[in-house]
Structure formats: structure tokens, C-alpha cells
């Protein structure tokens, strides 16, 4: 098994709990699904399942820390629910490439918005707050942008049930990103 193949298989095992459990329960069958031959699957099966799980969890905690830094107000307002929701979200593939932490935070924000709409999350303004922080992440690197978002809560103040409009504006690559909330 080549280095690249090994890295790809390990990445899948570290980031997919269900696959990891299936692999250690039946390495030959799952190894074949992953494109490994019997010897390669047996070789990987010699890894300690406990150590693989510990490392996989450490990767999730690192991811959580990065996302928490990019969605700080949402994390603060949600408290423990932020972490709980992140564990659910963390079963999705990790974004690749440059700015992967930002992409991960945007994807997690989308996940929170979806859960807010389907399951409801308290406090009620969380959906607006996460949309607000997500819009910051989306506009931050834009060379030219003009975004307007409407919110049902005063996301820039005390989260009272007062409508707010946020505007992000950048007129060129070298101009500063402007932000207004009305």
C-alpha cells in the first residue's frame, strides 16, 4: 500500500465514526470496500482501535476550537449546545484546501441554521446570530462585495426582538470592509 493510499484510508477512519466502527468489527470486508487488499486491511487492523478513537476525538476537538474562534458570539450564546451540535456536525467530511477552517465554520453555521429550523434551538435569536457571523465569514475575503441581511433580532446590541438590517460593503481589493447595522 502506497503512502498516499494509506493517508487517504487513515483520514477516512479518523473522520468517520461509523466507518471506523465497521472497520474494526470486520477489517477484511470494510477494507475491500475501501479499495484495500486482504493483507493491507489486516495490516491496518493491527492498529489499536482505542488509539485510533483517541486520535480521532483529538482531531474533532481541534476542529471545534477553530470553529469556535470563527463563530465566537454564537459559541458564547449557545454555551454547551454549541459543542453538542458540533459533535453531530463533525461526522461530515472535513473541508480541504486553503481556508478550510473558515469553510468548516461556514458549513457548521449552515448546519446550525438547518437544526434551528427543524428542531428549534433556544434562545430564539441564535438563527439570526449565526447568519450574522456566517455573513462576516463569507464577506471577509471578498475583493468587492455588497451584502444586505435582515434580522428579526437586534444582533448588534442586546438580542431584543427588534428588526435589524446589516450591510457589508467593500468597493475594491484594497479598500476596507465596511459594516453597518441599522
Amino acid at each position: 500500500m502506497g503512502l498516499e493510499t494509506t493517508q487517504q484510508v487513515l483520514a477516512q477512519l479518523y473522520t468517520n465514526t461509523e466507518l471506523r466502527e465497521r472497520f474494526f468489527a470486520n477489517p477484511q470486508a470494510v477494507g475491500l470496500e475501501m479499495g484495500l487488499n486482504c493483507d493491507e486491511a489486516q495490516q491496518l487492523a493491527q492498529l489499536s482501535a482505542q488509539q485510533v478513537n483517541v486520535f480521532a476525538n483529538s482531531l474533532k476537538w481541534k476542529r471545534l476550537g477553530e470553529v469556535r474562534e470563527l463563530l465566537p458570539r454564537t459559541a458564547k450564546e449557545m454555551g454547551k449546545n454549541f459543542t453538542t451540535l458540533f459533535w453531530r456536525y463533525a461526522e461530515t467530511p472535513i473541508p480541504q484546501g486553503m481556508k478550510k477552517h473558515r469553510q468548516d465554520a461556514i458549513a457548521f453555521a449552515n448546519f446550525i441554521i438547518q437544526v434551528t429550523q427543524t428542531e428549534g434551538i433556544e434562545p430564539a435569536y441564535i438563527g439570526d446570530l449565526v447568519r450574522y457571523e456566517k455573513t462576516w465569514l463569507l464577506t471577509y475575503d471578498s475583493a468587492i462585495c455588497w451584502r444586505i441581511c435582515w434580522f428579526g433580532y437586534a444582533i448588534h446590541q442586546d438580542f431584543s426582538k427588534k428588526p435589524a438590517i446589516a450591510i457589508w460593503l467593500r468597493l475594491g481589493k484594497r479598500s476596507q470592509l465596511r459594516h453597518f447595522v441599522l
Side-chain angles (χ1 to χ4, degrees), residues 34-88:
M34 299 172 75
L36 303 175
N37 64 37
C38 291
D39 291 337
E40 293 168 337
Q42 193 58 40
Q43 186 179 14
L44 278 179
Q46 292 176 6
L47 293 171
S48 163
Q50 182 181 5
Q51 287 179 337
V52 170
N53 284 327
V54 167
F55 185 70
N57 281 335
S58 72
L59 291 176
K60 285 182 186 177
W61 279 106
K62 181 180 179 192
R63 243 177 113 186
L64 172 62
E66 297 288 343
V67 168
R68 184 177 273 135
E69 284 183 26
L70 293 168
L71 299 170
R73 291 181 65 202
T74 301
K76 179 182 176 192
E77 291 298 317
M78 288 183 73
K80 291 179 183 177
N81 286 336
F82 188 85
T83 303
T84 302
L85 271 183
F86 186 82
W87 287 125
R88 284 174 52 190

Side-chain angles (χ1 to χ4, degrees), residues 138-175:
L138 289 169
T139 58
Y140 189 76
D141 283 337
S142 300
I144 298 174
C145 74
W146 169 258
R147 291 187 193 256
I148 300 174
C149 291
W150 180 86
F151 302 99
Y153 292 87
I155 41 83
H156 62 299
Q157 294 175 339
D158 58 358
F159 302 113
S160 60
K161 184 94 171 112
K162 293 185 224 169
I165 296 174
I167 302 167
W168 290 263
L169 175 66
R170 179 177 283 148
L171 300 176
K173 286 183 181 182
R174 296 179 188 204
S175 69

